[in-house]
Amino acid sequence: MVVPFSADGEATKTEMHWQEVITASRKKYGTPRAEVEAMLAKLREPVTQIKPLASPLVASSAPIIPQPSETPTISEVPKTDETQALGLI
């Protein structure tokens, strides 16, 4: 919306036009105060119930340490269609 500048002293007409622009903008883009207050009130509500996990985690007394596995050698790498197609193996 374009608001023309009035240099001839029509301050009341210009002020009314500005108010129309502001009102139209608030109507189009604004959120009513009641909706904002309702959203904020909902965020302030305490969490009353926490859903339990499907299977609770059980803490073990000793940590599980994975055993190192042998590093495969070139001869142990399986052949795939891609490596054969590229002529790598």
Side-chain angles (χ1 to χ4, degrees):
M1 192 176 257
V2 177
V3 180
F5 179 72
S6 176
D8 59 359
E10 296 181 15
T12 57
K13 188 175 180 181
T14 304
E15 180 64 31
M16 286 176 40
H17 188 68
W18 272 107
Q19 287 304 317
E20 290 174 8
V21 170
I22 291 170
T23 302
S25 175
R26 287 180 180 163
K27 184 177 179 181
K28 185 173 183 177
Y29 301 108
T31 303
R33 184 180 187 126
E35 288 182 29
V36 173
E37 292 292 336
M39 288 187 284
L40 291 174
K42 188 174 181 179
L43 291 174
R44 283 189 226 118
E45 291 176 2
V47 177
T48 56
Q49 184 180 14
I50 298 175
K51 293 182 181 180
L53 296 174
S55 61
L57 301 175
V58 179
S60 62
S61 59
I64 299 172
I65 301 172
Q67 298 298 324
S69 62
E70 293 182 26
T71 306
T73 61
I74 298 294
S75 61
E76 295 175 349
V77 176
K79 295 181 180 181
T80 63
D81 294 337
E82 293 173 356
T83 56
Q84 288 174 354
L86 294 174
L88 299 175
I89 295 180

